[in-house]
Amino acid sequence: MSTDSTISTLNSLIKTTLDSMKGFKDAAQDAENSQFSTMFSEFAGERSEVATALQSEVRRLGGNPEDDSSFLAAAHRTFMDLKQAFTGKDDKAIIQEVERGEDYIKAKFQAALNDTDLDPSSRAVVERAYQSVKAGHDRASALKHSMG
């Protein structure tokens, strides 16, 4: 079990979570449908809590936690596509983009949980964070399916 490996994994999750939070904040501002705006604001708040918990764990391990979203490559594109969906103002397209972003972040957390090098106490923090991420994913998925 390498502390450096655990810190690296946690920081990667923090970056993705902050990207997600920023994407949802932007989406909440851009949403014309107040139901979506409220939901996206809630998602952003939940992601902020997840990022804070992960950052605290990095500090506990003696590391320097990420405190900014990456806005690099895939994560950035994943969450910026949500912003693009608003230009068409198509509710179904918006929800599909939300679910796509949720699939991405859920997979990142699942990969971290499958990492056998993850510190056991950190694993518990990641598992709690994953429950929040999974709940958000499931809400987005249910919304998508409710739209037909």
Side-chain angles (χ1 to χ4, degrees):
M1 254 174 294
S2 151
T3 301
D4 288 346
S5 173
T6 295
I7 289 171
S8 175
T9 297
L10 292 171
N11 274 331
S12 175
L13 292 175
I14 290 166
K15 272 191 207 172
T16 302
T17 302
L18 291 172
D19 280 345
S20 172
M21 181 187 78
K22 174 126 178 53
F24 279 126
K25 277 185 177 175
D26 290 348
Q29 290 173 349
D30 292 341
E32 290 188 354
N33 178 324
S34 63
Q35 174 195 356
F36 290 160
S37 182
T38 301
M39 182 178 71
F40 296 154
S41 291
E42 289 170 4
F43 277 13
E46 290 166 10
R47 294 299 151 79
S48 176
E49 290 172 18
V50 166
T52 299
L54 295 171
Q55 289 164 333
S56 294
E57 181 62 10
V58 169
R59 279 188 208 93
R60 187 189 71 76
L61 293 170
N64 188 12
E66 288 290 338
D67 60 3
D68 197 13
S69 56
S70 68
F71 281 93
L72 296 170
H76 176 64
R77 279 195 308 275
T78 296
F79 297 108
M80 289 312 290
D81 285 347
L82 174 58
K83 196 169 175 65
Q84 290 300 312
F86 284 107
T87 60
K89 304 290 189 259
D90 175 357
D91 288 354
K92 195 167 183 176
I94 292 165
I95 296 305
Q96 284 174 330
E97 287 305 320
V98 167
E99 189 182 39
R100 207 166 63 77
E102 290 298 286
D103 285 345
Y104 178 83
I105 192 169
K106 182 180 166 190
K108 288 273 294 192
F109 273 85
Q110 286 170 328
L113 288 170
N114 288 333
D115 182 352
T116 56
D117 207 26
L118 196 61
D119 180 90
S121 61
S122 298
R123 178 177 302 282
V125 173
V126 173
E127 283 173 357
R128 281 193 299 278
Y130 174 69
Q131 292 309 312
S132 174
V133 165
K134 186 176 179 319
H137 173 274
D138 292 349
R139 280 201 323 240
S141 183
L143 185 59
K144 178 183 165 192
H145 294 295
S146 74
M147 297 181 90

